[in-house]
C-alpha cells in the first residue's frame, strides 16, 4: 500500500491481551510507524490512537482503570481527537456491557445476574450478548456491512453508492444494538441471523469497528489506509448521513479455508507436505524400506502467502508431527507464524501438539493455555487443540463439573 513511511505516527494502545501482532503489521504495511503507549501521559500527546481491544470486556476495563488509561482516554475522546477502536476497542466506548470474564462468578443457581460493567461512556447504549437460543454464538466469519454514513475513512471500501465492496471478518459474542440515542453514531450496521447490530461507529474524529480490519484482507487494509489518510489530510470528520433502507440485510458468506500440513523433512526444514493418513514420504523402490524423503510441496510462509494472494479467507497451519523436543521451544513453527502475519491479513490458525507438557531438562510444567498463549503472541488468531481438550473434558466430568482454569 505504501512505498515510503508517512509522517503521521500511530500510537498503539496494547494492554497485553491476545494477538495484536497483525494490527501492528497492518499499520506498518500502510506505511505508518508505531509508538506504543506505556503511560497515560502519552495519550494526550498522540497524533492518533488505535486501540485493538481483544479478550473480555471485564479484563479490558480493569486494565484501563488500574493503569489510569480510562480517564486519559475519556479526556482524549471528549476533545474529539483521532481514534480508532477495534472490536473491544469499540465496545468499551459504550456505557456498559453484560460481559464478565467468568460467568460462573456472576450467577446464582440457574439464573445469571444481569448487572453491567461500566465502560468509557462515550456512546449511549449497552453491549449485550447474542441470544443463544436463536443463533449460534459467537458470530464468527465474513459478513457484510450497510452504510449509515459516508465517511472519508471508507474512501477505499465503498462504491459510488456507498455500499461496501466486500465482506469483513467478525468474531464476537456480544454486540451493541442500534437505539434512538446512538443512531447518529452508527457508521455501518450488520445482520447476524436476524439480529441487526452496530458494526462500526463514527462521530467527527472518533471511529471504531466491531469487525477486524487487520483480518479482513485487502478490504480491511483499505479501511485502515482510508482512516489514517483521513487523519493525515484532516478530512476524517467530514461525514454525511445516508438514507437507510430498513429492509436491507447482510449475511455470512462461505469461506475458503486453506489447511497446510507442516512438518520437518530429513534435513530439519519445515515444509508443507501431503500424504495418506500422515504417510508423507515419497515411494522409493530402491530404498530398503521403500520409503523416500518427505514430500515437499513448498515452504510454509511463501505457500501461505500465495494462497492469500489468490483469495484464501483463512490459513491453517497443522503441525502433523507435533513437537520433537518440546512445545515452547518449537521455534520454527513460531517463526512461521511471525513471518506469515507480516504479509497475510486473514485469520491464521495453528494446530498440532498444543498440549500441556513437562520440560525434561528443567522439570517445569507448561499448561496447554501457556503454549497457546505463546502462539497467539506469535500471530495466531485461532488455536486447534486435540487430545488436551479430550483430557480436560474427562477431568471436568470426573471432578463432578469443577472448573480448573
Amino acid at each position: 500500500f505504501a512505498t515510503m513511511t508517512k509522517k503521521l505516527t500511530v500510537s498503539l494502545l496494547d494492554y497485553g491481551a491476545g494477538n495484536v501482532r497483525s494490527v501492528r503489521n497492518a499499520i506498518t504495511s500502510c506505511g505508518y510507524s508505531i509508538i506504543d503507549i506505556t503511560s497515560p501521559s502519552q495519550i494526550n500527546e498522540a497524533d492518533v490512537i488505535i486501540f485493538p481491544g481483544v479478550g473480555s470486556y471485564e479484563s479490558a476495563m480493569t486494565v484501563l482503570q488500574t493503569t489510569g488509561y480510562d480517564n486519559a482516554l475519556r479526556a482524549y475522546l471528549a476533545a474529539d481527537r483521532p481514534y480508532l477502536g477495534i472490536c473491544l476497542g469499540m465496545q468499551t466506548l459504550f456505557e456498559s456491557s453484560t460481559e464478565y470474564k467468568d460467568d460462573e462468578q456472576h450467577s446464582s443457581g440457574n439464573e445469571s445476574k444481569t448487572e453491567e460493567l461500566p465502560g468509557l461512556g462515550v456512546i449511549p447504549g449497552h453491549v449485550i450478548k447474542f441470544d443463544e437460543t436463536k443463533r449460534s454464538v459467537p458470530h464468527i466469519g465474513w459478513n457484510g456491512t450497510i452504510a449509515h454514513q459516508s465517511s472519508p475513512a471508507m474512501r477505499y471500501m465503498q462504491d459510488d453508492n456507498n455500499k461496501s465492496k466486500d465482506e469483513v471478518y467478525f468474531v464476537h459474542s456480544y454486540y451493541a444494538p442500534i437505539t434512538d440515542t446512538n443512531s447518529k453514531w452508527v457508521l455501518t450496521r450488520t445482520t447476524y441471523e436476524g439480529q441487526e447490530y452496530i458494526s462500526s461507529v463514527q462521530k467527527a474524529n472518533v471511529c471504531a469497528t466491531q469487525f477486524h480490519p487487520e483480518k479482513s484482507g485487502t478490504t480491511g487494509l483499505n479501511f485502515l489506509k482510508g482512516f489514517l489518510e483521513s487523519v493525515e489530510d484532516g478530512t476524517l470528520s467530514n461525514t454525511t448521513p445516508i438514507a437507510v433502507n430498513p429492509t436491507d440485510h447482510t449475511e455470512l458468506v462461505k469461506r475458503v479455508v486453506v489447511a497446510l500440513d507442516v512438518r520437518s523433512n530429513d534435513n530439519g526444514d519445515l515444509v508443507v507436505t501431503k500424504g495418506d493418513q500422515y504417510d508423507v514420504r515419497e515411494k522409493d523402490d530402491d530404498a530398503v524400506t521403500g520409503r523416500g524423503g518427505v514430500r515437499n510441496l513448498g515452504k510454509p510462509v511463501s505457500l501461505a502467502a500465495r494462497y492469500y494472494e489468490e483469495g484464501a479467507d483463512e490459513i491453517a497451519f497443522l503441525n502433523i508431527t507435533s513437537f520433537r523436543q518440546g512445545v515452547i521451544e518449537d521455534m520454527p513453527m513460531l517463526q512461521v507464524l511471525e513471518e506469515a502475519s507480516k504479509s497475510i491479513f486473514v485469520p491464521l490458525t495453528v494446530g498440532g501438539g498444543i498440549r500441556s507438557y513437562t520440560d525434561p531438562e528443567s522439570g517445569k510444567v507448561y499448561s496447554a493455555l501457556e503454549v497457546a498463549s505463546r502462539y497467539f503472541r506469535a500471530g495466531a488468531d485461532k488455536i486447534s487443540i486435540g487430545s488436551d481438550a479430550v483430557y480436560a473434558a474427562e477431568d471436568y466430568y470426573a471432578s463432578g463439573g469443577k472448573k480448573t482454569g
Side-chain angles (χ1 to χ4, degrees):
F1 280 92
T3 57
M4 59 182 293
T5 301
K6 306 293 182 69
K7 293 181 180 180
L8 182 71
T9 298
V10 175
S11 293
L12 188 68
L13 181 54
D14 174 10
Y15 70 96
N19 166 34
V20 298
R21 181 182 294 271
S22 294
V23 177
R24 294 178 183 276
N25 290 334
I27 294 169
T28 56
S29 76
C30 292
Y32 296 89
S33 57
I34 298 171
I35 183 171
D36 285 292
I37 295 176
T38 57
S39 69
S41 62
Q42 289 178 279
I43 290 178
N44 185 54
E45 300 167 357
D47 295 326
V48 55
I49 291 176
I50 293 184
F51 178 20
V54 289
S56 74
Y57 190 100
E58 182 180 18
S59 295
M61 286 307 303
T62 298
V63 172
L64 291 179
Q65 290 164 0
T66 56
T67 55
Y69 289 152
D70 58 338
N71 288 330
L73 265 178
R74 287 189 182 97
Y76 180 91
L77 295 166
D80 190 28
R81 306 277 297 282
Y83 171 91
L84 174 62
I86 297 172
C87 196
L88 269 179
M90 183 188 94
Q91 293 187 1
T92 52
L93 292 175
F94 287 83
E95 293 176 84
S96 67
S97 172
T98 58
E99 180 182 7
Y100 286 94
K101 183 172 59 177
D102 187 348
D103 289 337
E104 194 174 74
Q105 295 176 0
H106 299 273
S107 62
S108 176
N110 293 323
E111 287 188 33
S112 295
K113 294 183 180 180
T114 57
E115 64 258 40
E116 299 179 349
L117 293 166
L120 295 172
V122 176
I123 304 176
H126 310 277
V127 176
I128 59 177
K129 192 172 186 178
F130 284 114
D131 187 343
E132 295 178 281
T133 66
K134 296 181 179 179
R135 59 190 58 81
S136 300
V137 179
H139 170 215
I140 181 169
W142 297 75
N143 205 331
T145 60
I146 298 171
H148 282 225
Q149 304 179 56
S150 64
S151 167
M154 298 285 197
R155 62 179 67 175
Y156 300 116
M157 279 186 67
Q158 296 172 338
D159 59 22
D160 292 337
N161 295 316
N162 292 308
K163 291 185 177 181
S164 177
K165 297 178 182 178
D166 212 340
E167 290 76 24
V168 287
Y169 183 74
F170 294 87
V171 52
H172 59 116
S173 300
Y174 292 77
Y175 71 97
I178 302 173
T179 67
D180 291 340
T181 56
N182 64 29
S183 60
K184 291 184 179 180
W185 274 89
V186 180
L187 180 59
T188 64
R189 79 174 191 271
T190 293
T191 316
Y192 177 47
E193 294 185 5
Q195 178 62 61
E196 303 285 337
Y197 69 92
I198 301 173
S199 51
S200 65
V201 296
Q202 185 176 355
K203 188 174 183 181
N205 289 304
V206 177
C207 188
T209 67
Q210 182 62 69
F211 60 86
H212 288 264
E214 80 283 6
K215 288 297 169 184
S216 298
T218 301
T219 300
L221 292 180
N222 279 338
F223 173 78
L224 283 173
K225 178 184 177 185
F227 170 80
L228 291 170
E229 287 186 2
S230 300
V231 174
E232 270 197 308
D233 61 27
T235 62
L236 179 60
S237 62
N238 298 341
T239 59
T240 305
I242 294 174
V244 178
N245 184 348
T247 63
D248 287 342
H249 304 290
T250 69
E251 59 183 4
L252 286 170
V253 296
K254 292 182 178 180
R255 297 173 293 162
V256 176
V257 181
V258 175
L260 303 178
D261 291 342
V262 181
R263 64 155 290 169
S264 298
N265 62 15
D266 297 327
N267 297 321
D269 301 319
L270 279 185
V271 298
V272 176
T273 189
K274 196 67 180 175
D276 181 17
Q277 296 181 346
Y278 297 139
D279 181 3
V280 296
R281 292 184 177 274
E282 301 284 5
K283 292 183 178 180
D284 188 349
D285 296 333
D286 296 329
V288 176
T289 61
R291 289 163 57 80
V294 172
R295 188 174 294 111
N296 185 350
L297 300 182
K299 294 182 178 180
V301 175
S302 59
L303 193 58
R306 195 188 94 188
Y307 279 119
Y308 167 66
E309 291 168 0
E310 292 178 355
D313 300 309
E314 185 172 332
I315 307 289
F317 295 104
L318 305 178
N319 187 348
I320 64 173
T321 52
S322 188
F323 299 87
R324 308 229 173 167
Q325 303 297 326
V327 183
I328 300 294
E329 294 79 11
D330 190 56
M331 293 306 295
M333 186 59 99
L334 295 174
Q335 291 171 350
V336 164
L337 285 169
E338 290 172 355
E339 288 301 313
S341 66
K342 291 179 180 179
S343 59
I344 298 175
F345 298 101
V346 293
L348 298 176
T349 299
V350 64
I354 299 173
R355 54 179 170 78
S356 58
Y357 85 108
T358 302
D359 186 286
E361 295 183 3
S362 66
K364 181 176 180 180
V365 178
Y366 292 92
S367 68
L369 181 60
E370 288 176 301
V371 176
S373 296
R374 181 66 184 89
Y375 278 89
F376 282 129
R377 290 194 296 273
D381 300 285
K382 302 178 188 176
I383 297 294
S384 175
I385 300 179
S387 57
D388 219 71
V390 176
Y391 300 148
E394 291 175 343
D395 291 342
Y396 174 76
Y397 287 112
S399 66
K402 181 181 179 182
K403 294 183 179 180
T404 59

